[in-house]
Amino acid sequence: NAGVTQTPKFRVLKTGQSMTLLCAQDMNHEYMYWYRQDPGMGLRLIHYSVGEGTTAKGEVPDGYNVSRLKKQNFLLGLESAAPSQTSVYFCASRNGGQETQYFGPGTRLLVL
Amino acid sequence: AQTVTQSQPEMSVQEAETVTLSCTYDTSENNYYLFWYKQPPSRQMILVIRQEAYKQQNATENRFSVNFQKAAKSFSLKISDSQLGDTAMYFCAFMKRHTPLVFGKGTRLSVIA
């Protein structure tokens, strides 16, 4: 049971490039979330999903897109990366019947 | 919208001493959940303790306990017998049922030998 995993762990992008961050969970959780963490800002919600095929916007969704084609995977896409998207990205998931979220190890993204 | 405030950006404590981290929140809801997460230098987010608002009894987990004051909308974390491994960022978080977590900005705790 790997829990929540994130791919890649670290990535450097140039401004304007695109990339996809992958989050996978093997706990059969319904809910999945993408957060970004910036110094002094805590964790802020980007997008989330309450089930396969559903997505919703969070607090800071601009510049990102997401997809939940399979229950176990939640993808976060950057179509045209900007330096302001330099951050640490965390994925989390939880069971619909419980309130505790389980986090992945994070992806550090640097946009030059 | 719900907000979570952690008024202490940084704190330090001597090893074996007790320290209390503050958290206040703003909500008009009556049923909700509160959490403390720990983030060590490894960056992993680790759940420390959780509290259901409908429970009057304060949650405890070994050396960690909370002081939950619902009327004052306060949720502080007390760490007893502090250990070097407690050095980390600590985040307070709030959640209404079936909604995402809302985090505070965090408190950086340093445990000094």
Side-chain angles (χ1 to χ4, degrees):
Chain A
N1 191 332
V4 181
T5 58
Q6 293 183 231
T7 308
K9 289 184 172 54
F10 174 66
R11 183 78 181 267
V12 179
L13 286 180
K14 294 181 179 179
T15 297
Q17 286 185 320
S18 63
M19 79 163 294
T20 300
L21 282 66
L22 170 63
C23 175
Q25 52 92 6
D26 60 2
M27 298 174 283
N28 202 34
H29 286 173
E30 289 87 1
Y31 294 73
M32 297 187 75
Y33 308 87
W34 276 108
Y35 297 89
R36 61 176 288 173
Q37 183 180 16
D38 303 294
M41 298 296 294
L43 277 76
R44 293 181 293 170
L45 183 68
I46 305 171
H47 286 281
Y48 65 102
S49 169
V50 299
E52 182 178 328
T54 73
T55 63
K57 294 180 180 180
E59 180 186 355
V60 290
D62 294 342
Y64 304 95
N65 56 74
V66 288
S67 64
R68 183 102 181 266
L69 299 180
K70 294 182 179 181
K71 186 177 184 179
Q72 64 268 32
N73 295 337
F74 194 29
L75 280 62
L76 178 70
L78 287 73
E79 291 186 349
S80 179
S84 60
Q85 294 177 303
T86 292
S87 189
V88 179
Y89 291 86
F90 285 95
C91 178
S93 70
R94 72 173 176 90
N95 189 314
Q98 298 177 351
E99 306 304 332
T100 298
Q101 289 188 14
Y102 297 87
F103 283 82
T107 293
R108 184 164 165 253
L109 178 64
L110 176 61
V111 183
L112 302 176
Chain B
Q2 282 72 27
T3 59
V4 178
T5 302
Q6 294 181 247
S7 59
Q8 306 149 314
E10 295 188 19
M11 296 189 71
S12 62
V13 62
Q14 291 289 131
E15 198 174 6
E17 297 295 309
T18 295
V19 64
T20 299
L21 280 59
S22 301
C23 173
T24 58
Y25 56 95
D26 184 26
T27 184
S28 58
E29 300 291 326
N30 192 45
N31 294 319
Y32 50 87
Y33 302 82
L34 294 161
F35 303 83
W36 279 98
Y37 278 88
K38 169 185 178 181
Q39 187 181 43
S42 67
R43 271 208 317 257
Q44 180 69 48
M45 294 289 287
I46 301 166
L47 178 65
V48 175
I49 199 164
R50 57 173 274 172
Q51 174 82 43
E52 291 87 353
Y54 64 85
K55 290 186 178 179
Q56 292 186 346
Q57 186 173 6
N58 289 324
T60 63
E61 288 287 343
N62 300 314
R63 298 183 295 107
F64 299 87
S65 61
V66 297
N67 183 5
F68 173 47
Q69 300 290 329
K70 191 172 183 179
K73 297 179 184 177
S74 172
F75 184 60
S76 61
L77 175 70
K78 185 173 81 170
I79 306 174
S80 304
D81 185 25
S82 296
Q83 300 175 359
L84 296 177
D86 295 333
T87 292
M89 283 289 290
Y90 287 82
F91 293 97
C92 179
F94 168 99
M95 184 171 67
K96 292 188 305 182
R97 193 168 177 79
H98 299 312
T99 65
L101 282 169
V102 176
F103 285 89
K105 294 184 178 182
T107 295
R108 184 178 302 279
L109 177 67
S110 298
V111 180
I112 302 166

Coordinates of all heavy atoms in Angstrom, one line a residue, chain A residues 9 31 33 35 37 40-43 45 48 88 90 94 96 99-108, chain B residues 33 35 37 39 42-47 50 89 91 95-106:
Chain A
K9 N 9.3 14.2 -8.7 CA 9.6 14.8 -7.4 C 10.1 16.2 -7.6 O 9.9 17.1 -6.7 CB 10.7 14.0 -6.7 CG 10.1 12.6 -6.2 CD 11.2 11.9 -5.4 CE 10.6 10.6 -4.7 NZ 9.9 9.7 -5.7
Y31 N -12.2 11.5 -2.9 CA -11.8 12.9 -3.0 C -10.3 13.0 -3.3 O -9.5 12.3 -2.6 CB -12.2 13.6 -1.7 CG -13.6 13.7 -1.4 CD1 -14.4 12.6 -1.0 CD2 -14.3 15.0 -1.6 CE1 -15.7 12.7 -0.7 CE2 -15.6 15.1 -1.3 CZ -16.4 14.0 -0.9 OH -17.7 14.1 -0.6
Y33 N -7.2 16.2 -4.2 CA -6.9 17.6 -4.1 C -5.5 17.9 -4.6 O -4.6 17.1 -4.5 CB -7.0 18.1 -2.7 CG -8.2 17.7 -1.9 CD1 -8.3 16.5 -1.3 CD2 -9.3 18.6 -1.9 CE1 -9.5 16.1 -0.6 CE2 -10.5 18.2 -1.2 CZ -10.6 17.0 -0.6 OH -11.7 16.6 0.1
Y35 N -2.8 21.1 -4.1 CA -2.4 22.4 -3.3 C -1.1 22.8 -3.8 O -0.3 22.1 -4.3 CB -2.3 22.1 -1.8 CG -3.5 21.7 -1.1 CD1 -3.8 20.3 -1.0 CD2 -4.4 22.6 -0.5 CE1 -5.0 19.9 -0.3 CE2 -5.5 22.2 0.2 CZ -5.8 20.8 0.3 OH -6.9 20.4 1.0
Q37 N 2.2 25.2 -2.2 CA 2.8 25.7 -1.0 C 3.9 26.7 -1.4 O 4.8 26.4 -2.0 CB 3.3 24.7 -0.1 CG 3.9 25.2 1.2 CD 4.4 24.2 2.1 OE1 4.7 23.0 1.7 NE2 4.6 24.5 3.4
G40 N 5.6 31.4 3.5 CA 4.7 32.3 4.2 C 3.3 32.3 3.9 O 2.5 33.1 4.4
M41 N 2.9 31.4 3.0 CA 1.5 31.4 2.5 C 0.7 30.1 2.9 O -0.5 30.0 2.7 CB 1.4 31.5 1.0 CG 2.0 32.8 0.5 SD 1.1 34.2 1.0 CE -0.5 33.9 0.1
G42 N 1.3 29.2 3.5 CA 0.6 27.9 3.8 C 0.3 27.2 2.6 O 0.9 27.4 1.5
L43 N -0.7 26.3 2.6 CA -1.1 25.5 1.5 C -2.4 26.1 0.9 O -3.3 26.3 1.7 CB -1.3 24.0 1.8 CG -0.1 23.1 1.9 CD1 0.7 23.4 3.1 CD2 -0.5 21.7 1.8
L45 N -5.4 25.8 -2.1 CA -6.1 24.8 -2.9 C -6.2 25.3 -4.4 O -6.7 26.4 -4.6 CB -7.5 24.5 -2.4 CG -8.3 23.5 -3.1 CD1 -7.7 22.1 -2.9 CD2 -9.8 23.5 -2.6
Y48 N -9.8 20.5 -7.1 CA -10.1 19.3 -6.4 C -11.2 18.5 -7.2 O -11.7 19.0 -8.1 CB -10.6 19.5 -5.0 CG -11.9 20.3 -4.8 CD1 -13.0 19.6 -4.5 CD2 -11.9 21.7 -4.9 CE1 -14.2 20.3 -4.3 CE2 -13.1 22.3 -4.7 CZ -14.3 21.6 -4.4 OH -15.4 22.3 -4.2
V88 N 6.0 24.4 -4.5 CA 5.9 23.0 -4.1 C 4.4 22.6 -4.2 O 3.6 23.3 -3.6 CB 6.5 22.7 -2.7 CG1 6.3 21.2 -2.4 CG2 7.9 23.2 -2.6
F90 N 1.4 19.8 -3.7 CA 1.0 18.7 -3.0 C -0.3 18.1 -3.5 O -1.2 18.9 -3.7 CB 0.9 19.0 -1.5 CG 2.2 19.2 -0.8 CD1 2.7 20.4 -0.6 CD2 2.8 18.1 -0.2 CE1 4.0 20.6 0.1 CE2 4.0 18.2 0.4 CZ 4.6 19.4 0.6
R94 N -8.8 11.6 0.2 CA -9.5 11.1 1.4 C -10.7 10.3 1.0 O -11.2 10.5 -0.1 CB -9.9 12.3 2.3 CG -11.0 13.1 1.8 CD -11.5 14.1 2.9 NE -12.5 15.0 2.5 CZ -13.8 14.8 2.6 NH1 -14.2 13.7 3.2 NH2 -14.7 15.7 2.2
G96 N -14.6 9.4 1.3 CA -15.8 10.2 1.4 C -16.4 10.1 2.8 O -17.1 11.0 3.3
E99 N -12.9 12.3 7.3 CA -12.5 13.7 7.1 C -11.0 13.9 7.0 O -10.5 15.0 6.7 CB -13.1 14.6 8.2 CG -14.6 14.4 8.4 CD -15.4 14.7 7.2 OE1 -14.9 15.5 6.3 OE2 -16.5 14.1 7.1
T100 N -10.2 12.9 7.3 CA -8.7 13.1 7.3 C -8.2 13.0 5.9 O -8.5 12.0 5.1 CB -8.1 12.0 8.2 OG1 -8.6 12.2 9.5 CG2 -6.6 12.2 8.1
Q101 N -7.4 14.0 5.5 CA -6.7 13.9 4.2 C -5.3 13.3 4.3 O -4.6 13.6 5.3 CB -6.6 15.3 3.6 CG -7.9 15.9 3.1 CD -7.7 17.2 2.4 OE1 -6.6 17.6 2.0 NE2 -8.8 17.9 2.2
Y102 N -4.9 12.6 3.3 CA -3.6 12.0 3.3 C -2.8 12.6 2.1 O -3.3 12.7 1.0 CB -3.7 10.4 3.1 CG -4.4 9.8 4.2 CD1 -5.8 9.6 4.2 CD2 -3.7 9.3 5.3 CE1 -6.5 9.1 5.3 CE2 -4.3 8.7 6.4 CZ -5.7 8.6 6.3 OH -6.4 8.0 7.4
F103 N -1.6 13.0 2.4 CA -0.8 13.8 1.5 C 0.2 13.0 0.8 O 0.8 12.1 1.4 CB -0.2 15.0 2.2 CG -1.1 16.1 2.5 CD1 -2.0 16.1 3.6 CD2 -1.2 17.2 1.6 CE1 -2.9 17.1 3.9 CE2 -2.1 18.2 1.9 CZ -2.9 18.2 3.0
G104 N 0.5 13.4 -0.5 CA 1.7 12.9 -1.1 C 3.0 13.6 -0.7 O 2.9 14.5 0.1
P105 N 4.1 13.2 -1.2 CA 5.4 13.8 -0.7 C 5.7 15.1 -1.3 O 6.7 15.8 -0.9 CB 6.4 12.7 -1.2 CG 5.8 12.1 -2.4 CD 4.3 12.1 -2.1
G106 N 5.0 15.6 -2.3 CA 5.2 16.9 -2.9 C 6.1 16.8 -4.2 O 6.9 15.9 -4.4
T107 N 5.8 17.8 -5.0 CA 6.6 18.0 -6.2 C 7.2 19.4 -6.2 O 6.4 20.4 -6.1 CB 5.8 17.8 -7.5 OG1 5.4 16.4 -7.6 CG2 6.6 18.2 -8.8
R108 N 8.5 19.6 -6.3 CA 9.0 20.9 -6.4 C 9.2 21.3 -7.8 O 9.9 20.6 -8.6 CB 10.4 20.9 -5.6 CG 11.0 22.3 -5.6 CD 12.1 22.4 -4.5 NE 12.9 23.6 -4.7 CZ 14.2 23.6 -5.3 NH1 14.7 22.4 -5.6 NH2 14.8 24.7 -5.4
Chain B
Y33 N -14.5 20.4 11.4 CA -13.3 19.6 11.9 C -12.1 20.5 11.9 O -11.9 21.4 11.0 CB -13.1 18.4 11.0 CG -14.3 17.5 10.9 CD1 -15.3 17.8 10.0 CD2 -14.4 16.4 11.6 CE1 -16.4 17.0 9.9 CE2 -15.5 15.5 11.6 CZ -16.5 15.8 10.7 OH -17.6 15.0 10.6
F35 N -7.7 20.5 12.4 CA -6.6 19.6 12.3 C -5.3 20.4 12.6 O -5.2 21.6 12.4 CB -6.4 19.0 10.9 CG -7.6 18.3 10.4 CD1 -8.7 19.0 9.9 CD2 -7.7 16.9 10.5 CE1 -9.8 18.3 9.4 CE2 -8.8 16.2 10.0 CZ -9.9 16.9 9.4
Y37 N -1.4 19.8 11.3 CA -0.4 19.0 10.5 C 1.0 19.4 10.8 O 1.3 20.6 11.0 CB -0.7 19.2 9.0 CG -1.8 18.3 8.5 CD1 -3.1 18.8 8.5 CD2 -1.5 17.1 7.9 CE1 -4.1 18.0 7.9 CE2 -2.6 16.3 7.4 CZ -3.9 16.8 7.4 OH -4.9 16.0 6.9
Q39 N 5.0 19.5 9.3 CA 5.8 19.4 8.1 C 7.2 19.5 8.5 O 7.8 20.6 8.6 CB 5.4 20.4 7.0 CG 6.1 20.2 5.7 CD 5.7 21.2 4.7 OE1 5.6 22.4 5.0 NE2 5.5 20.8 3.4
S42 N 11.7 17.2 5.6 CA 11.4 16.3 4.5 C 10.3 16.7 3.6 O 10.1 16.2 2.5 CB 11.1 14.9 5.0 OG 9.9 14.9 5.7
R43 N 9.5 17.7 4.1 CA 8.3 18.3 3.4 C 7.1 17.4 3.5 O 6.0 17.9 3.1 CB 8.6 18.5 1.9 CG 9.2 19.8 1.6 CD 8.9 20.2 0.2 NE 9.0 19.2 -0.8 CZ 10.0 19.1 -1.7 NH1 11.0 19.9 -1.6 NH2 10.0 18.1 -2.5
Q44 N 7.2 16.2 4.0 CA 6.0 15.4 4.1 C 5.0 16.0 5.1 O 5.3 16.4 6.2 CB 6.4 14.0 4.6 CG 5.2 13.0 4.7 CD 4.6 12.6 3.4 OE1 5.3 12.2 2.5 NE2 3.3 12.7 3.3
M45 N 3.7 16.0 4.7 CA 2.7 16.5 5.6 C 2.1 15.4 6.5 O 1.6 14.4 5.9 CB 1.5 17.1 4.8 CG 1.9 18.3 4.0 SD 2.1 19.8 5.0 CE 0.4 20.1 5.5
I46 N 2.3 15.5 7.8 CA 1.9 14.5 8.7 C 0.8 15.0 9.6 O 0.9 16.0 10.3 CB 3.2 14.1 9.5 CG1 4.3 13.6 8.6 CG2 2.8 13.0 10.5 CD1 5.6 13.5 9.3
L47 N -0.3 14.2 9.7 CA -1.4 14.6 10.6 C -0.9 14.3 12.0 O -0.5 13.3 12.4 CB -2.6 13.7 10.3 CG -3.8 14.0 11.2 CD1 -4.3 15.4 11.0 CD2 -4.9 13.0 11.0
R50 N -6.6 15.6 15.4 CA -7.8 16.2 14.8 C -8.8 16.3 15.9 O -8.8 15.6 16.9 CB -8.3 15.3 13.7 CG -8.6 13.9 14.0 CD -9.3 13.1 12.9 NE -10.7 13.3 13.0 CZ -11.5 12.9 12.0 NH1 -11.1 12.3 10.9 NH2 -12.8 13.1 12.1
M89 N 7.5 22.7 10.6 CA 6.4 23.7 10.4 C 5.1 23.0 10.9 O 4.9 21.8 10.6 CB 6.3 24.1 8.9 CG 7.3 25.0 8.4 SD 7.0 26.7 9.1 CE 5.5 27.2 8.2
F91 N 1.0 23.4 10.8 CA -0.2 24.0 10.1 C -1.5 23.6 10.8 O -1.7 22.5 11.0 CB -0.3 23.6 8.6 CG 0.9 24.1 7.8 CD1 2.0 23.3 7.5 CD2 0.9 25.4 7.3 CE1 3.0 23.8 6.7 CE2 1.9 25.9 6.5 CZ 3.0 25.1 6.2
M95 N -12.0 22.5 8.3 CA -12.8 21.9 7.3 C -14.3 21.7 7.7 O -14.5 21.2 8.7 CB -12.3 20.5 6.9 CG -13.0 19.9 5.7 SD -12.2 18.4 5.1 CE -12.4 17.3 6.5
K96 N -15.1 22.3 6.8 CA -16.6 21.9 7.0 C -16.7 20.5 6.4 O -15.9 20.1 5.5 CB -17.4 22.9 6.2 CG -17.5 24.3 6.7 CD -18.5 25.1 6.0 CE -18.3 25.1 4.5 NZ -19.3 26.0 3.8
R97 N -17.8 19.9 6.7 CA -18.0 18.5 6.2 C -18.1 18.6 4.6 O -18.8 19.5 4.1 CB -19.3 18.0 6.8 CG -19.5 16.5 6.5 CD -20.6 15.9 7.4 NE -20.8 14.5 7.1 CZ -20.1 13.5 7.5 NH1 -19.1 13.8 8.3 NH2 -20.4 12.3 7.2
H98 N -17.5 17.7 4.0 CA -17.5 17.5 2.5 C -16.9 18.7 1.8 O -17.3 18.9 0.6 CB -19.0 17.3 2.1 CG -19.6 16.1 2.6 ND1 -18.9 14.8 2.6 CD2 -20.7 15.9 3.2 CE1 -19.7 13.9 3.2 NE2 -20.8 14.5 3.6
T99 N -16.1 19.5 2.4 CA -15.4 20.6 1.7 C -13.9 20.5 1.9 O -13.4 19.8 2.8 CB -15.8 22.0 2.2 OG1 -15.5 22.1 3.6 CG2 -17.4 22.1 2.1
P100 N -13.1 21.1 1.1 CA -11.6 21.0 1.2 C -11.1 21.7 2.5 O -11.8 22.5 3.1 CB -11.1 21.7 0.0 CG -12.2 21.7 -1.0 CD -13.5 21.8 -0.2
L101 N -9.9 21.3 2.9 CA -9.2 21.9 4.0 C -8.9 23.4 3.7 O -8.5 23.7 2.6 CB -7.9 21.2 4.3 CG -8.0 19.9 5.1 CD1 -6.7 19.2 5.1 CD2 -8.5 20.1 6.5
V102 N -8.9 24.2 4.7 CA -8.4 25.6 4.6 C -7.3 25.7 5.7 O -7.5 25.4 6.8 CB -9.5 26.6 5.0 CG1 -8.9 28.0 5.0 CG2 -10.6 26.5 3.9
F103 N -6.1 26.1 5.2 CA -4.9 26.1 6.1 C -4.6 27.4 6.6 O -4.8 28.5 5.9 CB -3.7 25.5 5.3 CG -3.7 24.1 5.1 CD1 -4.3 23.5 4.0 CD2 -3.1 23.2 6.0 CE1 -4.3 22.1 3.8 CE2 -3.0 21.8 5.8 CZ -3.7 21.3 4.7
G104 N -4.0 27.5 7.7 CA -3.3 28.7 8.2 C -1.9 28.8 7.5 O -1.5 27.9 6.8
K105 N -1.2 29.9 7.8 CA 0.1 30.1 7.1 C 1.2 29.4 7.8 O 2.3 29.4 7.3 CB 0.4 31.6 7.0 CG -0.6 32.3 6.1 CD -0.3 33.8 6.0 CE -1.2 34.5 5.0 NZ -0.9 35.9 4.8
G106 N 1.0 28.8 8.9 CA 2.0 28.0 9.6 C 2.8 28.6 10.6 O 2.9 29.9 10.7

